[in-house]
Amino acid sequence: PMRTLSARILLGFAALTITFGVITAQLVVNMQQVENHVLLIGQGYVPLALESKDLARRQDDLRTFVEERLRDEPSSHVKRTLHALRSKRDKAVETIGLILDGLESKAVVKPRQFIYTRPEIEQIKRGLATVEPLYLQALANPSASVPSEAASAALIQLKNEERKLWQQINRFSDSLEGRLQKSTEYLEKNGIPGIQDIDTR
């Protein structure tokens, strides 16, 4: 009987030890998940959201200037101002791309976490490529090869394309802000990230 009791006690301690080990391992895993999640928010979605707001502001400045100040025969001052506004907008797009590149290289990032963000910024870049030749045409000096009618038509198209970019960039910025808020709220409620991705609508 004593041996049986000792065996039971020993088995009980063994079971407790195993259970404690499993719980400890799970806590360690969960803590690592939380750390990765917080890191992803702090180094990823916060900078992306902030930069996207800055991009939206730059695009709004540019769109307003194109619609209100750019005419068929822009002055040299207008061209300089336009160049500065475009440079700031384009640099903001580039900065977001670099942040995204850096995030995607981190081990904590899952393949689906930027399933929407990456295509959206690539679409914005394609929009920049679309307006590039329109600026050249709209700002070209009238000549036999580039009549003023062509420049006027390019200017009209340019305004439309910049307005489309403005709408697209604002949607992009609002979407990133929403994803950041959703991720933060989920972390606050659950303590650990779930299976769902941050980058969802």
Side-chain angles (χ1 to χ4, degrees), residues 164-182:
K164 289 179 184 178
L165 269 170
W166 172 70
Q167 294 170 341
Q168 183 180 353
I169 287 171
N170 275 279
R171 287 195 301 268
F172 174 68
S173 178
D174 291 342
S175 179
L176 272 175
E177 185 177 13
R179 293 168 203 170
L180 171 61
Q181 183 177 358
K182 181 179 179 180

Side-chain angles (χ1 to χ4, degrees), residues 93-132:
V93 173
E94 181 182 356
T95 298
I96 292 175
L98 291 174
I99 292 174
L100 197 54
D101 290 342
L103 281 173
E104 290 176 333
S105 67
K106 294 183 181 296
V108 298
V109 176
K110 299 176 183 178
R112 286 179 55 83
Q113 278 174 325
F114 296 101
I115 191 172
Y116 295 115
T117 304
R118 170 60 71 181
E120 285 169 344
I121 195 64
E122 293 301 328
Q123 187 177 5
I124 291 172
K125 289 180 178 180
R126 288 194 294 271
L128 300 188
T130 299
V131 298
E132 181 67 28

Side-chain angles (χ1 to χ4, degrees), residues 130-168:
T130 299
V131 298
E132 181 67 28
L134 295 176
Y135 275 105
L136 295 176
Q137 295 172 34
L139 299 177
N141 295 321
S143 64
S145 60
V146 185
S148 57
E149 290 82 3
S152 298
L155 179 57
I156 293 173
Q157 187 179 355
L158 174 62
K159 291 179 179 181
N160 290 333
E161 292 298 328
E162 286 292 3
R163 194 176 299 113
K164 289 179 184 178
L165 269 170
W166 172 70
Q167 294 170 341
Q168 183 180 353

Side-chain angles (χ1 to χ4, degrees), residues 2 5 20 30 53 55 58 64 71 88 107 121 128 133 186 191:
M2 289 296 294
L5 180 61
F20 181 75
N30 289 345
K53 286 298 180 186
L55 171 59
R58 304 283 186 190
T64 301
R71 300 291 184 261
K88 292 177 181 178
I121 195 64
L128 300 188
Y186 187 87

Side-chain angles (χ1 to χ4, degrees), residues 2 19 31 33 37-38 42 47 51 54 62 87 104 111 119-120 127 129 138 140 142 161 187 196 198:
M2 289 296 294
T19 302
M31 288 177 64
Q33 288 179 330
H37 201 65
V38 171
E51 288 295 336
D54 181 62
L62 177 58
S87 296
E104 290 176 333
E120 285 169 344
E161 292 298 328
L187 185 61
Q196 69 180 36
I198 298 173

